[in-house]
Structures are given as C-alpha cells and as structure tokens.
Amino acid sequence: MNKGQKLTFTMNKINLWSNSLSTPSLLFLLLLGFVFSCGTSKKLGKDSNLSSTELLVRRLETKQIKAKTFDGRAKIDFRSTDMSASATIRIRMQKDSSIWVTLSKLGFEVGRALITSDSVHILDRINNEYAVYALDYLSKEYQLPGNLLLIQQVILGNPFFLSRNFTSTSAGDRYLLNDSGSGKEIKMSIETNALRLRNFQYLEPSAARSLTLDLEEYNAANDKQDFSYLRKFVVDSRETGKVEVNIQFTQVELNVPISMPFDVPQRFKRVK
C-alpha cells in the first residue's frame, strides 16, 4: 500500500493509514484475539465416579482466578504480514456484566470500547465517530462465538472450555489436555504443581482456522492471586490472515472499585 492510501473501515475490512491500524480496527482485532475460540464449556457435575482427567479438570475449575472486578494497564503490539502497530490499553471488567477498554497512542486516548452481554460500543476519537455492533457479529461474520463470559475468562488467564471430553497425559512438569471432535481440536498445557494455564491451542483444519495463546510471566497480583502478565496471541484464518497480538500488562488490580465511563459526545457521528 502506498503511503497515505486509505481504505474505508467496515467490520470486515481493515482501515489503514500508511502502515498503522486505525482506532476501531485495532480495538476490533484486540477483541478478535480475545474471542477467537470454539464452543461453550460445561462444568463437571457432582458424579462421584470421576476419571483422573475429570478430577484434574475439577481442580482447574477450583484453581481459577476469582475476581468480581478487574483493572489493568498494558502495552499491546500488533503484527501481521502487511503491517504493525503498537499502543497502550486499559481494561476494566465487572464480572458477568461488562468490559471497558481504552486505547491510547503517545499519551492520548484515541478510542474506547464497552462490551456488554449482547453488544460492543466503540468510540473513535480520531474521526469523531461512534458505532455499535451486536456481540454475535463475530459469530455471523467469522463463525466465531461472541461471548462476554469467555472474554472475561481469557482476560483473567483462566483455563476455559473445561469439560468431560478432555483426555490428559503427563509430560514432565506439564499436564497436556486434548479434546478432539467434529473436526475441531482443543489443546491445553497446564503446569503440574501450580495448575496454571501456559498454552492454549484451537485448531479447525477444514476451515484453515487456528488460535495459539501463550501465557507467561506469572506473578502475584494485588490480592496475591497468580496472574499472567504477558499474553501472546497468534490467530490464523482465511478471514484475518496471520495476526500476532502481544499484550504486556504493566499494572493489574483485582477486586477493587472501578468505574466505566462511556459518554458519547454530541459531535460524534453514528456509523454502521
């Protein structure tokens, strides 16, 4: 693309200025990394006849980070075969209710998003525009589920899609979980002692679609719960091409009072 060339932004076309992503595009791709995955999870029941794998899954459920609220700051780097961009983000979360994200460059806020159980609201402060999309838009456009609870689990770094369908093996200091079926495969690597998620993979060969998520740099957050401060997403699909998103958290607070201001200035134009 020549310098200065501009593509019109829609949810299925990336808006570019030179080699950098626009505000809504970067927010959209960040959300895409959070929700690119498969199916829904089913927790284990109270059956006393549980296999060793089912007992492991139950232990993972009880070991998950527990947070009614979340407030985090992070640096984000985006890379694809055609472009790269970086920014700082702030993420706030109210359990089972909403997620609030701000995007800043050079110290100035350029975009804001509010995710609820059924919608995504985006403010583009560069172009004075406002947009609202149904959360299930990703499901319809990219065959990916839009699920608030799933996004919150990914933000916290908790294992997700835990079910009876997994098989497990032990490899050194890791448990390896695998769930294959209906042309899709989920793989997880879990630390043996701390039961922390270190790698998640989703593979759908027939659709040429995959996601890899690595969780690194675990440290205690403010309330002593272990949190992964470095997340590395690699998404590859026909719709997106290969996209890498690295999120380095610089500050994390769990279970603290938060606010999620989201006022739309009158000068902003509603776009579709």
Side-chain angles (χ1 to χ4, degrees):
M1 178 177 295
N2 295 329
K3 187 175 181 180
Q5 186 176 353
K6 179 178 177 181
L7 296 179
T8 302
F9 169 77
T10 65
M11 286 296 282
N12 59 3
K13 284 187 178 180
I14 297 177
N15 184 3
L16 306 175
W17 285 267
S18 186
N19 290 322
S20 63
L21 286 172
S22 70
T23 298
S25 298
L26 189 52
L27 282 168
F28 169 64
L29 287 165
L30 173 61
L31 299 179
L32 180 63
F34 280 143
V35 302
F36 189 107
S37 207
C38 60
T40 57
S41 61
K42 295 182 180 179
K43 290 188 176 181
L44 296 179
K46 296 183 178 180
D47 187 353
S48 59
N49 273 325
L50 296 179
S51 69
S52 59
T53 299
E54 290 170 334
L55 287 172
L56 172 59
V57 171
R58 176 166 285 177
R59 289 177 64 198
L60 291 174
E61 289 178 346
T62 61
K63 188 69 174 179
Q64 291 183 342
I65 292 177
K66 299 172 179 64
K68 292 184 178 180
T69 65
F70 173 91
D71 189 355
R73 300 175 186 269
K75 297 178 181 179
I76 179 172
D77 290 304
F78 166 91
R79 291 192 301 273
S80 72
T81 55
D82 300 321
M83 70 202 79
S84 64
S86 61
T88 58
I89 60 173
R90 185 162 189 176
I91 303 174
R92 291 175 177 170
M93 181 182 82
Q94 182 75 45
K95 183 181 179 183
D96 302 335
S97 173
S98 54
I99 300 168
W100 177 92
V101 182
T102 62
L103 176 70
S104 300
K105 296 181 180 181
L106 301 176
F108 296 94
E109 182 182 314
V110 295
R112 183 172 295 203
L114 180 66
I115 309 166
T116 66
S117 60
D118 59 5
S119 60
V120 179
H121 303 250
I122 295 179
L123 286 178
D124 177 359
R125 297 194 184 280
I126 299 296
N127 297 299
N128 293 334
E129 294 179 343
Y130 167 59
V132 181
Y133 302 98
L135 190 56
D136 64 2
Y137 178 89
L138 296 177
S139 299
K140 296 176 181 177
E141 187 70 14
Y142 296 104
Q143 295 76 53
L144 309 174
N147 185 299
L148 176 70
L149 301 184
L150 168 62
I151 300 173
Q152 292 187 336
Q153 287 289 76
V154 176
I155 290 173
L156 291 175
N158 286 330
F160 41 95
F161 300 127
L162 298 175
S163 74
R164 290 178 180 269
N165 298 326
F166 279 106
T167 59
S168 67
T169 57
S170 180
D173 62 349
R174 301 290 174 89
Y175 291 121
L176 306 179
L177 295 175
N178 185 278
D179 180 2
S180 301
S182 303
K184 301 175 183 179
E185 186 172 14
I186 300 173
K187 297 181 179 182
M188 294 190 199
S189 173
I190 307 290
E191 288 183 7
T192 303
N193 294 326
L195 294 181
R196 299 185 298 200
L197 178 63
R198 297 306 300 261
N199 176 267
F200 173 90
Q201 295 180 61
Y202 168 70
L203 307 170
E204 193 176 349
S206 62
R209 185 178 296 128
S210 67
L211 165 75
T212 299
L213 166 60
D214 290 307
L215 297 94
E216 303 177 5
E217 296 185 8
Y218 274 95
N219 284 294
N222 62 303
D223 65 352
K224 309 304 182 183
Q225 295 189 80
D226 282 348
F227 184 85
S228 167
Y229 281 76
L230 177 60
R231 314 290 176 81
K232 298 181 179 181
F233 294 89
V234 179
V235 177
D236 198 352
S237 72
R238 297 189 184 107
E239 296 85 1
T240 64
K242 185 176 182 180
V243 176
E244 298 180 28
V245 181
N246 292 343
I247 302 176
Q248 175 73 66
F249 285 93
T250 57
Q251 179 181 332
V252 170
E253 292 186 294
L254 305 174
N255 298 308
V256 296
I258 60 170
S259 62
M260 299 184 180
F262 198 90
D263 298 322
V264 181
Q266 290 186 349
R267 69 180 184 278
F268 275 45
K269 178 183 177 181
R270 176 78 175 267
V271 295
K272 296 183 179 180

